[in-house]
Amino acid sequence: LLPLTLVLSALFILAALYWQKRKLSFQDELRRGITNNEFSVYYQPVYGTAAQRCTGAEALLRWRRADGQWIRPDVFIAAAEAENMIIPLTRHLLKLVEEDVASWHIEPNFHLGLNVSAEHLQDSEFIADIRQFAANVAAHRFLITLELTERSLISEGPEVAQRLQQLRQEGIHVAIDDFGTGHCSLSYLQSFPLDYLKIDQGFVRTISSQEEETPILDTIISLAHRLNLKIVAEGVETARQLHYLTQHDVGYIQGFLYAKPMDNENFTVWQHYHAKR
Ligand code: C2E
Ligand code: CA
Ligand code: CA
Ligand code: CA
């Protein structure tokens, strides 16, 4: 029995070492990706239903590795979050956006949406990072909106709410992203200062071509109205969805029907036709 136990332990240690190495190498890959400039930012326009034109855009990170392979954002974002790389990656994104906006020609008050992860929110440098970014793009007079998921708002302690309140006083907006998908209680809606609620595409998709009822979507919309939150509907793909949402006073629409995420070159051209008065 003893030799068998020894062999099994040796195998276990080898597996653990292999796993450790794999984990390390993904972190290295992310780091290398940053230094080799393999990341870029795509911009997805947001349509204002009242203004009937593009009123903003969301910045979405993209990773194309040196071998030409695209890594899906939900995959590398989750990995970066798991391996303590999301803060450096987000700082890199902010730098890329600063470079990109230099070529933009947009009206003041254009809404610029940035995704922020829970870990970054909880970091003491968070406010400084956002302030620095806001200062560096100040000439464009953007309305910066931080998009936070429900998960990031159920953190312990008052620090996160205080930080967000401080940034809001400096003109930065806060959106709750993927609303309704976080398996969270609704109590954070009372304790956090919010400006926007983004309805997840899963609920938007319930507006189908058949005239079926959409009770959950309708409830989310009226909840947002009651809380005085502006609403962004995500993943709008059909004219029927757009019509339904507009009829129900949803102020902002994002989805393939209006525009797909674009690289900076294409977005700069696109703006020329859609984002001006
Ligand atoms: P998200 O924040 O919910 O971003 C919206 C996602 O929906 C984007 O996916 C966008 O391409 C996709 N989308 C937009 N319109 C439509 C539509 O009409 N139909 C369909 N089927 N999809 C649509 P993407 O770019 O793949 O990003 C996935 C997620 O990765 C994002 O979800 C966000 O959670 C995360 N992510 C992306 N960039 C960043 C980032 O810079 N930082 C952080 N923390 N997360 C990011
Ligand atoms: Ca988002
Ligand atoms: Ca979302
Ligand atoms: Ca999402």
Side-chain angles (χ1 to χ4, degrees), residues 2-168:
L2 187 68
L4 183 66
T5 319
L6 277 176
V7 167
L8 281 177
S9 327
L11 277 177
F12 180 78
I13 290 167
L14 278 177
L17 281 175
Y18 174 71
W19 180 242
Q20 188 65 24
K21 187 166 173 290
R22 267 191 41 162
K23 270 189 79 171
L24 275 180
S25 72
F26 195 78
Q27 209 182 56
D28 290 344
E29 251 187 86
L30 277 166
R31 273 209 200 87
R32 202 163 0 140
I34 293 175
T35 29
N36 290 353
N37 232 344
E38 293 171 9
F39 289 92
S40 64
V41 185
Y42 274 49
Y43 299 91
Q44 184 175 34
V46 175
Y47 175 79
T49 53
Q52 296 189 303
R53 64 188 175 90
C54 174
T55 51
E58 177 177 1
L60 294 160
L61 204 51
R62 293 288 181 266
W63 187 10
R64 187 164 185 261
R65 287 200 321 206
D67 61 9
Q69 199 194 340
W70 291 88
I71 316 287
R72 281 178 42 188
D74 41 351
V75 172
F76 71 75
I77 295 288
E81 285 173 344
E83 305 199 17
N84 288 318
M85 282 297 290
I86 192 67
I87 295 178
L89 191 58
T90 306
R91 288 188 181 136
H92 184 58
L93 165 110
L94 295 176
K95 204 198 80 203
L96 293 173
V97 174
E98 285 171 19
E99 290 168 8
D100 286 349
V101 301
S103 63
W104 292 10
H105 298 280
I106 41 143
E107 299 275 320
N109 296 330
F110 187 81
H111 299 225
L112 180 63
L114 301 168
N115 294 289
V116 176
S117 292
E119 195 198 328
H120 203 174
L121 259 183
Q122 274 138 36
D123 190 277
S124 58
E125 297 285 293
F126 173 71
I127 289 203
D129 288 344
I130 300 301
R131 274 195 188 133
Q132 182 67 57
F133 173 79
N136 292 349
V137 300
H140 294 275
R141 292 196 274 152
F142 294 125
L143 293 176
I144 298 169
T145 301
L146 306 177
E147 301 193 0
L148 318 172
T149 57
E150 291 169 301
R151 195 174 62 81
S152 58
L153 294 184
I154 51 164
S155 59
E156 309 269 312
E159 287 92 355
V160 168
Q162 277 164 7
R163 275 179 204 147
L164 291 179
Q165 191 52 33
Q166 216 168 329
L167 287 173
R168 274 176 97 231

Side-chain angles (χ1 to χ4, degrees), residues 247-268:
Q247 291 293 300
H248 287 77
D249 289 326
V250 170
Y252 302 92
I253 301 289
Q254 192 179 343
F256 295 168
L257 176 70
Y258 183 53
K260 291 195 169 178
M262 293 169 246
D263 65 19
N264 189 49
E265 201 179 324
N266 284 315
F267 183 55
T268 305

